[in-house]
Amino acid sequence: MIAGMQQVNVGIVGLGNVGSGTLTLLAENAAQIALKLGFPLRVTAVCSRSVEAKKLPEGLGPVHRTTDWREIVSHPEVDIVAELVGGTSVAAEIINGAIEHKKSVVTANKELMASCGSEIWDRAIRAGINLAMEASVAGGIPIHAVLREGISGDRVVALYGILNGTSNYILTEMEKRGAPLDEVLAEAHRLGYAEADPSADIDGFDARSKLAILAALAFGEKITPSDIFVEGIRRISPMDFQYAHKLGHTIRLICAARQTSDGLILSVRPALIGLETIIAGVQGAYNAVWVKGRYGQDTFYYGRGAGPLPTGVAVVSDLMRVAREIRYGHPERVSPFAHERLGEYKPRSVTSEKCAYYLRFRVDDRPGIIAALAGILAEQHISLEAVLQLPSETKSSLPFVITVEPTCEHTIREAVQKMSHLDFLREPPLALPMEPPL
Ligand code: HSE
């Protein structure tokens, strides 16, 4: 340790899953952290609604406890504020309060960074403080550092990710043991992966916020999450995995950002991907990011996407990065958001994408079903690839699958729309892209 180098003090707001994991690491790993930094990182104050009832890990030393975040952001001894409350309204006040008091900020807040990260960064730069947000995307994977430092000399052409641990856990448990969605979602809650609002995980919104942040960092565009096409995993059932396997595929919720000559195409959606692809091997609550660079080509990053300790590692590593700058001096800063173009960026519509599709039907069996469906596909000039029906004991709500050759998504949507009126269908057809360009 450098003799006499003064400690850097941290104030933590929010003692939920991520806050507790962060405190555990700061207590248990304090000696290693101090050796790596050359000075200690100390928790000076913590804030939570139920702070008095919280048991803090041993070894932190005296810690001021408060239920008022304003005390943390204005505390004269706090150098860095860790905002770990999540959500957008109070979290924004906490971050802005810290910036006003010229305190650097570490945040795990994906919604806030996705919706107004660029504005917050501009404010932080004007105030001359640092903002770090590694924990906001794929907790256990240091993907911000990769995009901002590790491969910043490259030019990203595509980025694919599995960015929601809960939905990946659900899909892979469905795949392994045929478990229904609700049962596995409840397990993900117990394991601390799932969002309080299940829709954020299941309907793809959590993954969409993360894709908006990564795409902004990778492509230098200011991306608005609501402009990203999103479709969740609600309609996927264990039976879809049986069909996908027959076709040599599996199903994952794929976040994709691809540069084309007409602009970026961004989407979060379940897709059939070849069993031999590296991303098909991502199981359970793990996340992965696959980046394709024009020069460096493919790199792949894999790790836990959630959980108190993996996300805690991201927060603590950010605290260390910011603390180093505080003690050793910081470089001029450039916002990681929208460095390429100013203003909002409208991605190109996914409907112009062309790929093969998996169409899954549930029908009340009777003669003429395939003829009716094939008739609609023929009207739309869509060419069939395969028709697949696994043995089933029932004649009602009978599943079967048609795969079609590469077709524009808008044509598929028109066909699905026409099919929805057929009276033998028990539910609207499920259309999933197959082998999207990875
Ligand atoms: N609910 C999120 C997930 C937690 O399952 O990935 C991490 O953002």
Side-chain angles (χ1 to χ4, degrees):
M1 195 177 303
I2 297 173
M5 183 70 80
Q6 206 193 337
Q7 69 192 27
V8 167
N9 295 324
V10 178
I12 294 183
V13 189
L15 295 180
N17 272 337
V18 181
S20 316
T22 301
L23 280 183
T24 302
L25 273 154
L26 287 171
E28 284 183 18
N29 211 19
Q32 269 281 318
I33 292 170
L35 283 172
K36 286 177 182 165
L37 284 175
F39 56 85
L41 199 55
R42 218 182 79 66
V43 180
T44 306
V46 293
C47 167
S48 128
R49 270 183 305 213
S50 53
V51 75
E52 289 309 331
K54 294 274 176 194
K55 188 171 171 345
L56 301 185
E58 280 175 21
L60 285 178
V63 178
H64 175 66
R65 295 174 184 239
T66 175
T67 52
D68 183 2
W69 58 264
R70 290 172 191 81
E71 270 192 52
I72 306 272
V73 301
S74 60
H75 196 295
E77 278 175 26
V78 167
D79 300 304
I80 311 171
V81 174
E83 179 281 301
L84 307 177
V85 295
T88 47
S89 53
V90 180
E93 289 181 47
I94 295 167
I95 294 180
N96 289 333
I99 294 173
E100 274 164 28
H101 285 87
K102 305 259 185 242
K103 297 196 194 295
S104 286
V105 174
V106 169
T107 178
N109 196 317
K110 66 211 145 197
E111 292 96 347
L112 194 59
M113 287 300 114
S115 57
C116 41
S118 145
E119 292 77 8
I120 295 175
W121 258 97
D122 289 345
R123 244 173 269 139
I125 289 171
R126 279 199 302 276
I129 55 98
N130 203 348
L131 184 61
M133 52 180 186
E134 185 66 75
S136 62
V137 179
I141 307 175
I143 189 66
H144 289 217
V146 163
L147 293 172
R148 295 193 65 199
E149 294 163 27
I151 60 164
S152 60
D154 206 341
R155 195 172 179 92
V156 177
V157 292
L159 180 147
Y160 303 102
I162 291 182
L163 298 178
N164 183 263
T166 300
S167 55
N168 205 57
Y169 180 74
I170 291 171
L171 290 176
T172 53
E173 288 300 305
M174 260 185 199
E175 181 169 32
K176 274 195 289 194
R177 56 183 169 106
L181 188 143
D182 292 344
E183 182 185 313
V184 195
L185 176 60
E187 284 170 23
H189 266 284
R190 279 198 297 279
L191 294 167
Y193 308 140
E195 300 298 307
D197 171 9
S199 168
D201 293 311
I202 303 301
D203 296 317
F205 300 116
D206 172 84
R208 184 179 71 168
S209 295
K210 293 167 179 168
L211 181 64
I213 297 174
L214 291 190
L217 265 54
F219 298 100
E221 307 281 7
K222 185 174 164 192
I223 314 275
T224 308
S226 56
D227 282 332
I228 299 179
F229 175 83
V230 64
E231 187 183 310
I233 61 164
R234 256 180 223 277
R235 296 206 54 211
I236 311 295
S237 65
M239 163 257 296
D240 288 304
F241 284 95
Q242 292 170 10
Y243 281 97
H245 289 171
K246 280 272 171 227
L247 295 161
H249 288 66
T250 185
I251 303 168
R252 296 285 183 269
L253 184 69
I254 301 287
C255 301
R258 212 158 48 82
Q259 189 67 270
T260 70
S261 50
D262 303 321
L264 278 179
I265 300 195
L266 297 153
S267 61
V268 175
R269 63 192 329 191
L272 265 76
I273 50 172
L275 280 168
E276 75 293 348
T277 57
I278 190 165
I279 212 155
V282 180
Q283 304 273 329
Y286 277 85
N287 279 192
V289 185
W290 181 358
V291 188
K292 286 174 179 279
R294 182 187 291 177
Y295 306 101
Q297 301 180 10
D298 297 75
T299 55
F300 188 78
Y301 310 91
Y302 173 83
R304 290 219 171 257
L309 293 177
T311 314
V313 171
V315 173
V316 171
S317 305
D318 266 355
L319 288 169
M320 291 171 71
R321 184 175 307 128
V322 174
R324 245 183 226 117
E325 285 197 10
I326 289 174
R327 280 291 164 265
Y328 301 122
H330 47 76
E332 288 298 309
R333 293 193 185 90
V334 173
S335 165
F337 286 95
H339 52 80
E340 188 101 333
R341 229 179 280 225
L342 293 174
E344 300 287 304
Y345 180 76
K346 295 279 174 213
R348 234 183 95 198
S349 167
V350 288
T351 55
S352 54
E353 285 268 81
K354 201 170 179 179
C355 74
Y357 280 83
Y358 162 99
L359 304 175
R360 194 259 289 149
F361 308 92
R362 270 185 196 274
V363 298
D364 288 333
D365 201 16
R366 67 171 201 221
I369 287 176
I370 293 197
L373 295 171
I376 292 176
L377 292 172
E379 271 170 34
Q380 296 293 130
H381 306 286
I382 299 172
S383 197
L384 270 71
E385 172 84 23
V387 178
L388 211 66
Q389 186 160 35
L390 295 172
S392 169
E393 283 163 12
T394 160
K395 289 282 175 203
S396 65
S397 203
L398 186 69
F400 81 94
V401 162
I402 296 178
T403 63
V404 300
E405 287 181 358
T407 309
C408 271
E409 172 134 358
H410 68 81
T411 312
I412 289 288
R413 288 191 191 181
E414 278 173 16
V416 164
Q417 180 60 31
K418 286 186 180 170
M419 289 170 177
S420 314
H421 303 301
L422 298 169
D423 62 1
F424 52 77
L425 286 178
R426 291 292 291 261
E427 60 183 62
L430 171 70
L432 301 177
M434 282 180 83
E435 295 174 4
L438 292 180

